[in-house]
Amino acid sequence: MIRKFNETDLNSVMKIWLETNISVHDFIDEKYWQSNYEQVRQFIPKTTVYVYEENYVKGFIGLSGNYIAGIFVEANSQSRGIGKALLDHIKGINEELYLNVYKKNKRAVKFYIREGFFIDGEQIDINTNETELVMRWKNK
């Protein structure tokens, strides 16, 4: 089930956020994610977040306007359609979406292309010095 985030989800969401970032971004020192933990923890309740719940929170998607701040699915639940379900949910309520994804995160880049996003540009993330792809989706 997909539903809006509530405050009681915060610990679960943050656990998934930290573990997923460290796991999928092995090209970035995990200290970077740990040092940003508190800032993200304060930011999440101020954005639009939807969680995917099946007995417990297994994943979430964060939005700021039509910018996807991230899709995160716990390791044991990846490749089971949860990320796609979350993305389809927000596609149903937005005409356009965009996001930044690290170029080295090839699995995520493939996922977004498969889901109808196109690469609209490249930029350097000044915090990590890594190349990011700017990707966009438009409702047809």
Side-chain angles (χ1 to χ4, degrees), residues 122-134:
E122 279 190 19
Q123 61 191 27
I124 300 295
D125 177 353
I126 59 169
N127 299 306
T128 62
N129 214 27
E130 290 289 337
T131 302
E132 293 179 313
L133 300 176
V134 178

Side-chain angles (χ1 to χ4, degrees), residues 17-18 29-40:
W17 178 86
L18 183 61
D29 191 321
E30 70 181 70
K31 290 178 188 147
Y32 171 76
W33 306 111
Q34 292 163 342
S35 69
N36 283 286
Y37 182 91
E38 282 306 319
Q39 181 181 353
V40 172

Side-chain angles (χ1 to χ4, degrees), residues 11 14 17 22 28 36-37 40-41 51 84 100 112 114-115 121 124 139:
N11 287 337
M14 288 309 300
W17 178 86
I22 290 171
I28 297 172
N36 283 286
Y37 182 91
V40 172
R41 186 177 177 87
V51 298
K84 179 176 175 23
N100 298 335
Y112 290 120
R114 186 181 75 227
E115 296 304 318
I124 300 295
N139 194 359

Side-chain angles (χ1 to χ4, degrees), residues 53-64:
E53 183 178 47
E54 248 176 46
N55 301 320
Y56 63 94
V57 174
K58 294 186 174 188
F60 72 97
I61 188 166
L63 292 166
S64 182

